[in-house]
Amino acid sequence: MRAKLQLVLSFPIFIFCLSGFAQQSAWEGVSQKPLDGIPFLNEGEAAESKVYSLNEDKLRSDLAVISFAKNSSQEISFPDGKGNMATFVIWETPVFAPALQAKYPNIRSYQGVQQDDPTTRIRFSVSHQGVQSMVVDAKSRE
């Protein structure tokens, strides 16, 4: 009886511990909207917009497991055009010659496709100047 009770109680504890190791997003919603200086937003768009803060260290650690040489990929979330988080399958896409990549190891280029919609693609680079990204949706006319 005691063994069964320990088994029943240890399972939720095990699941709780695993949830701590689950992938956390590098993006965090921001309650204050710093919309000053964003001229392309009108009042209606500003009221409906969502603002995210990027934890670059978390993104870099998520990207560290991707290797061009091993042809590996990683699922990483990015905000979409509507402010919702979308999961993309990301892989490294080097744009430097090997000698130049060795000289600048902290500059990396990536691309990916949205998991739920393969017509939506992302390209981005990570460097000492931060993250620059572009999302292209073949279905969108905006």
Side-chain angles (χ1 to χ4, degrees):
M1 177 72 170
R2 183 173 181 194
K4 288 182 183 180
L5 182 61
Q6 285 179 336
L7 181 63
V8 168
L9 293 177
S10 64
F11 184 71
I13 292 170
F14 177 72
I15 296 298
F16 178 75
C17 291
L18 281 181
S19 68
F21 294 109
Q23 182 179 4
Q24 300 293 320
S25 177
W27 300 91
E28 182 179 340
V30 177
S31 60
Q32 287 187 330
K33 298 180 181 179
L35 300 175
D36 295 336
I38 305 177
F40 57 86
L41 289 178
N42 63 36
E43 284 186 33
E45 291 171 328
E48 295 177 13
S49 67
K50 295 180 183 176
V51 179
Y52 291 92
S53 173
L54 173 62
N55 179 340
E56 286 189 40
D57 292 333
K58 172 66 173 134
L59 179 63
R60 288 176 197 274
S61 71
D62 290 346
L63 294 171
V65 300
I66 300 173
S67 170
F68 178 71
K70 295 180 181 176
N71 198 21
S72 61
S73 62
Q74 174 80 355
E75 291 181 3
I76 299 177
S77 296
F78 284 85
D80 65 10
K82 296 179 176 127
N84 302 314
M85 296 306 290
T87 302
F88 289 84
V89 178
I90 305 293
W91 60 91
E92 187 177 4
T93 311
V95 293
F96 286 163
L100 198 55
Q101 185 66 68
K103 186 175 180 180
Y104 300 103
N106 293 328
I107 301 175
R108 299 283 181 185
S109 177
Y110 302 89
Q111 70 175 318
V113 294
Q114 187 174 344
Q115 195 172 39
D116 299 335
D117 180 11
T119 64
T120 302
R121 300 186 154 277
I122 188 169
R123 289 194 68 100
F124 65 99
S125 62
V126 179
S127 72
H128 62 283
Q129 294 181 338
V131 178
Q132 295 78 38
S133 66
M134 172 179 66
V135 177
V136 178
D137 182 356
K139 296 179 292 190
S140 177
R141 297 283 181 197
E142 297 176 13

